[in-house]
């Protein structure tokens, strides 16, 4: 495309008004909403180019997930619902930060380097969360898409997983599902109801759930889901947009603070869940008779799924390679249970869903969950077809056919494109129902090691670099040696540090056999980070 034909992409309304550097990470761009208009405009341009490269629809989601309400962000979704290809993250970063005077030449460079045929049609599927800033940013993105003659399919306010679902359905001509929100709700709810009809082992299971919706888009989706699920499960929704988004509620708050959300009715031993602002994370919890808080996080969910799937595969006498993918944040209790008790392979990768997702693809059935509750299950097509064939094979026993049918139906409950809080809830409820378990039965399978996270403010987070799936610190020199010394003083002690992706803070994680030891260890390590990495402000301490 010639220079003059690109002149129309220069739009003074969306001039670059922020002098700082902004980085495209695993979650895309995420920062203060008031500095993002030019970024959304440019991501609209980039989405069109990405669509032309792939000759397929691309997704653009406007959200900042579990961040505070004044933040916002954007991420692009590739054709089969996966995160943006890693090589294009640097392209996105470069485009977002280029000066206005060089915008046209940057676009020309991308077109040339990626060998883009600008005559190919481009489609961008857009969704947004409930933040007040989202409509303004939506307009900026649409302006960028339309200036390069891209087709906009705006689905309005949707959860992030719904946007991923819509992208893959559009690009597979409906093979994965109907590319509408009605298709999303119908696919998952029908599969859930079908499974419950075929299994009556519900002695201790109660089909009721209390949901903390983080005052976000998940509240809208959960209410809509309830219409499709009818009476198969009753969901009582709290924090349903009457308060501040993610403020003292939501999956991230419950996981990190290890306390119940505000504005939430609690009864002893009742199953509760929290989702985050864009509904891609889920955390279970409950209070016991002594008002003690119990957390069942992403590790617990992964363990529950792995155990049940292994049982079904053994019933069918199929030897698919089943595996679990975790990060360094996974509790040592869960890793030990999965690998040593269930004897299911466990691998550890760097933090970020794209890393877990890619590793899970290597298994026939790959289960991945971050401890924060973000995860899903991936099935190879050969597995899906084998299960369908087994379910209809009259030469197999009744037990074999029933288990194959159950697992095949479960696949339709799962949103394989990305972690989906509502889909994951249905999956957990399916398994608890099949086993006839309440939440206490689930928790009894193993004991978590006491664990905690702290943030240490530093002048420059980039001074911290890591290796071994972020479990070992490379720089600053000497820090890891001191961390090792501190950890060695405590039974079952483990700790690691890693820089935040967006802020000048270092995240410190620790776990120990006892709570008192944990409190000492995490302060020991946080102080080491403060001293070695240029801590800012008061020395770290427990709240």
């Amino acid at each position: 495309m010639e220079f003059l034909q690109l002149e129309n992409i220069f739009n003074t309304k969306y001039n670059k008004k922020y002098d700082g550097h902004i980085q495209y990470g695993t979650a895309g761009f995420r920062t203060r909403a008031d500095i993002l208009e030019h970024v959304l405009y440019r991501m609209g341009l980039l989405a069109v180019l990405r669509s032309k490269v792939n000759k397929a629809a691309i997704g653009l989601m406007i959200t900042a997930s579990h961040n505070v309400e004044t933040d916002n962000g954007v991420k692009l979704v590739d054709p089969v619902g996966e995160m943006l290809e890693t090589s294009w993250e640097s392209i996105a970063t470069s485009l977002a930060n280029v000066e206005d005077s060089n915008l046209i030449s940057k676009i020309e460079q991308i077109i040339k380097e990626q060998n883009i045929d600008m005559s190919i049609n481009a489609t961008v599927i857009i969704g947004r969360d409930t933040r007040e800033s989202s409509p303004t940013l939506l307009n900026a993105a649409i302006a960028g898409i339309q200036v390069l003659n891209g087709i906009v399919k705006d689905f309005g306010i949707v959860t992030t997983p719904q946007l991923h679902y819509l992208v893959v359905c559009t690009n597979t001509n409906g093979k994965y599902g109907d590319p509408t929100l009605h298709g999303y709700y119908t696919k998952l709810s029908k599969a859930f109801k079908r499974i419950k009809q075929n299994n009556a082992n519900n002695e201790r299971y109660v089909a009721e759930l209390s949901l903390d919706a983080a005052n976000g888009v998940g509240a809208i989706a959960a209410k809509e889901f309830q219409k499709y699920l009818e009476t198969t499960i009753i969901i009582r929704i709290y924090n349903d947009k009457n308060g501040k988004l993610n403020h003292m509620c939501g999956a991230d708050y419950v996981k990190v603070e290890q306390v119940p959300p505000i504005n939430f009715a609690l009864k002893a031993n009742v199953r509760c869940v929290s989702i985050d602002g864009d509904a891609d994370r889920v955390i279970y919890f409950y209070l016991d008779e002594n008002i003690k808080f119990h957390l069942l996080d992403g590790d617990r969910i992964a363990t529950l799924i792995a155990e049940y799937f292994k049982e079904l595969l053994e019933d069918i006498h199929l030897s698919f390679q089943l595996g679990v993918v975790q990060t360094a944040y996974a509790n040592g209790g869960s890793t030990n249970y999965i690998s040593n008790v269930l004897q299911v392979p466990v691998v550890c990768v760097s933090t970020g869903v794209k890393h877990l997702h890619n590793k899970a693809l290597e298994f026939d059935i790959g289960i991945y969950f971050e401890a924060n509750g973000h995860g899903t299950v991936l099935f190879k097509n050969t597995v899906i077809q084998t299960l369908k064939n087994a379910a209809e094979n009259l030469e197999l026993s009744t037990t074999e056919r029933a288990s194959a049918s159950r697992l095949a139906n479960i696949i339709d409950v799962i949103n394989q494109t990305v972690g989906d809080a509502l889909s994951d809830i249905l999956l957990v409820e399916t398994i608890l129902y099949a086993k006839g378990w309440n939440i206490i039965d689930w928790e009894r399978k193993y004991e978590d090691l006491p664990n905690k996270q702290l943030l240490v403010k530093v002048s420059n987070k980039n001074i911290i670099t890591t290796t071994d799936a972020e479990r070992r610190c490379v720089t600053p020199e000497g820090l890891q040696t001191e961390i090792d010394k501190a950890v060695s003083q405590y039974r079952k002690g483990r700790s690691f540090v890693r820089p935040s992706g967006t802020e000048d803070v270092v995240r410190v994680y620790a776990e120990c056999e006892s709570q008192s030891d944990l409190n000492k260890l995490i302060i020991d390590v946080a102080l080491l980070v403060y001293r070695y990495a240029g801590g800012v402000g008061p020395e770290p301490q427990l709240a």
Side-chain angles (χ1 to χ4, degrees):
M1 178 170 284
E2 297 296 332
F3 177 87
L4 291 176
Q5 292 177 286
L6 282 174
E7 279 190 333
N8 63 344
I9 71 172
F10 187 77
N11 187 325
T12 55
K13 182 178 181 181
Y14 299 116
N15 280 356
K16 185 171 178 283
K17 302 179 180 68
Y18 176 62
D19 292 331
H21 182 80
I22 184 168
Q23 181 80 29
Y24 194 106
T26 301
F29 294 110
R30 191 178 294 176
T31 186
R32 296 193 339 255
D34 60 356
I35 63 174
L36 277 172
E37 274 193 83
H38 80 280
V39 175
L40 267 293
Y41 177 75
R42 296 174 183 201
M43 288 308 100
L45 299 174
L46 191 66
V48 171
L49 300 182
R50 184 69 180 154
S51 177
K52 291 177 183 292
V53 165
N54 285 277
K55 301 178 183 178
I58 294 294
L60 187 153
M61 184 68 197
I62 302 169
T63 183
S65 186
H66 60 277
N67 282 39
V68 295
E69 196 165 13
T70 51
D71 286 352
N72 215 323
V74 58
K75 67 176 181 178
L76 301 186
V77 179
D78 265 354
V80 294
E82 75 275 43
M83 299 294 190
L84 179 65
E85 182 183 310
T86 302
S87 65
W88 275 66
E89 291 181 6
S90 58
I91 296 174
T93 298
S94 178
L95 182 60
N97 289 285
V98 72
E99 295 303 321
D100 293 322
S101 58
N102 295 323
L103 178 59
I104 293 175
S105 61
K106 173 57 68 174
I107 292 294
E108 286 184 318
Q109 177 189 347
I110 296 170
I111 292 171
K112 181 178 179 181
E113 290 180 351
Q114 300 298 321
N115 193 28
I116 300 173
D117 181 352
M118 295 300 289
S119 68
I120 295 173
N121 291 331
T123 299
V124 183
I125 298 172
I126 299 183
R128 68 186 191 275
D129 69 15
T130 56
R131 295 166 198 269
E132 288 186 9
S133 58
S134 290
T136 298
L137 299 181
L138 168 70
N139 291 335
I142 290 176
I145 295 165
Q146 291 180 336
V147 78
L148 286 183
N149 299 317
I151 299 168
V152 176
K153 290 188 177 181
D154 180 12
F155 281 87
I157 295 175
V158 296
T159 69
T160 294
Q162 286 174 335
L163 192 279
H164 284 254
Y165 168 90
L166 292 166
V167 171
V168 70
C169 289
T170 298
N171 289 321
T172 56
N173 297 316
K175 291 181 181 179
Y176 185 74
D178 176 25
T180 64
L181 290 177
H182 171 70
Y184 169 86
Y185 291 118
T186 298
K187 178 182 178 181
L188 272 62
S189 61
K190 275 190 174 181
F192 182 71
K193 290 191 284 189
R194 190 163 57 242
I195 292 167
K196 292 199 72 174
Q197 289 173 350
N198 296 334
N199 193 316
N201 182 23
N202 58 357
E203 181 181 348
R204 296 168 62 82
Y205 175 84
V206 178
E208 295 182 2
L209 199 63
S210 294
L211 170 67
D212 159 34
N215 292 310
V217 63
I220 299 171
K223 288 176 182 177
E224 192 65 21
F225 239 131
Q226 186 69 81
K227 298 175 185 177
Y228 287 82
L229 293 169
E230 300 174 317
T231 59
T232 51
I233 185 169
I234 304 301
I235 303 174
R236 294 180 294 273
I237 305 172
Y238 300 90
N239 293 316
D240 61 350
K241 295 184 63 188
N242 292 319
K244 286 185 179 180
L245 179 68
N246 297 319
H247 178 64
M248 298 182 71
C249 60
D252 189 65
Y253 173 79
V254 173
K255 168 62 178 174
V256 174
E257 301 299 329
Q258 299 190 27
V259 295
I262 60 171
N263 304 322
F264 195 89
L266 289 160
K267 295 182 181 179
N269 301 326
V270 170
R271 228 166 38 259
C272 305
V273 293
S274 279
I275 62 179
D276 64 336
D278 65 342
D280 61 6
R281 297 182 182 184
V282 59
I283 296 290
Y284 274 72
F285 65 93
Y286 74 97
L287 289 185
D288 63 22
E289 300 91 340
N290 300 316
I291 319 300
K292 180 183 176 182
F293 177 78
H294 295 253
L295 179 72
L296 291 87
D297 59 10
D299 299 335
R300 292 276 181 182
I301 295 172
T303 305
L304 178 73
I305 297 168
E307 182 165 2
Y308 186 58
F309 281 16
K310 184 181 181 183
E311 291 172 359
L312 290 179
L313 291 173
E314 288 175 346
D315 286 345
I316 312 167
H317 299 102
L318 291 174
S319 55
F320 292 128
Q321 187 183 25
L322 175 68
V324 176
V325 185
Q326 296 183 321
T327 72
Y329 286 106
N331 192 280
S334 72
T335 307
N336 177 69
Y337 184 78
I338 296 169
S339 58
N340 296 326
V341 178
L342 297 183
Q343 296 188 337
V344 170
V346 181
V347 291
C348 182
V349 298
S350 298
T351 304
V353 171
K354 67 179 181 183
H355 301 300
L356 289 97
H357 192 97
N358 290 339
K359 193 66 179 179
L361 286 169
E362 297 179 10
F363 294 98
D364 293 331
I365 303 176
I367 302 164
Y368 75 82
F369 271 85
E370 292 188 290
N372 62 27
H374 195 169
T376 190
V377 186
L378 306 180
F379 299 83
K380 287 186 177 177
N381 289 332
T382 52
V383 172
I384 297 172
Q385 191 57 54
T386 299
L387 290 171
K388 289 179 178 178
N389 292 342
E392 298 172 358
N393 187 351
L394 297 179
E395 295 182 2
L396 298 180
S397 68
T398 302
T399 299
E400 289 172 323
R401 291 200 308 276
S403 294
S405 176
R406 195 169 297 132
L407 191 49
N409 285 331
I410 285 175
I411 292 172
D412 283 336
V413 171
I414 298 169
N415 185 350
Q416 294 188 60
T417 62
V418 71
D420 182 339
L422 299 176
S423 166
D424 290 338
I425 288 171
L426 294 185
L427 175 57
V428 169
E429 296 301 311
T430 292
I431 298 172
L432 295 180
Y433 176 79
K435 286 183 165 292
W437 283 358
N438 58 29
I439 197 165
I440 300 172
D441 298 322
W442 174 16
E443 186 186 32
R444 283 174 179 159
K445 299 305 293 184
Y446 66 88
E447 288 189 14
D448 275 326
L449 291 172
N451 63 94
K452 194 180 291 288
Q453 295 183 45
L454 272 183
L455 297 181
V456 180
K457 291 185 178 181
V458 295
S459 57
N460 179 10
K461 66 183 176 68
N462 294 321
I463 195 172
I464 298 283
T465 60
T466 62
T467 188
D468 188 24
E470 301 176 313
R471 291 176 290 188
R472 305 285 297 175
C473 188
V474 177
T475 61
E477 186 177 351
L479 176 55
Q480 186 60 53
T481 300
E482 293 302 314
I483 292 174
D484 290 341
K485 289 179 182 177
V487 169
S488 68
Q489 297 177 39
Y490 301 98
R491 282 181 56 83
K492 297 185 179 180
R494 182 171 73 91
S495 183
F496 67 91
V497 302
R498 57 179 290 269
S500 166
T502 55
E503 308 167 78
D504 275 324
V505 297
V506 177
R507 302 182 185 277
V508 179
Y509 175 90
E511 61 184 39
C512 274
E513 187 175 56
S514 72
Q515 187 67 46
S516 60
D517 282 352
L518 170 63
N519 292 339
K520 295 174 186 175
L521 174 59
I522 198 163
I523 288 297
D524 288 349
V525 176
L527 287 172
L528 288 171
V529 171
Y530 185 87
R531 293 164 189 164
Y532 274 79
V536 175
E539 290 189 346
Q541 57 184 348
L542 294 178

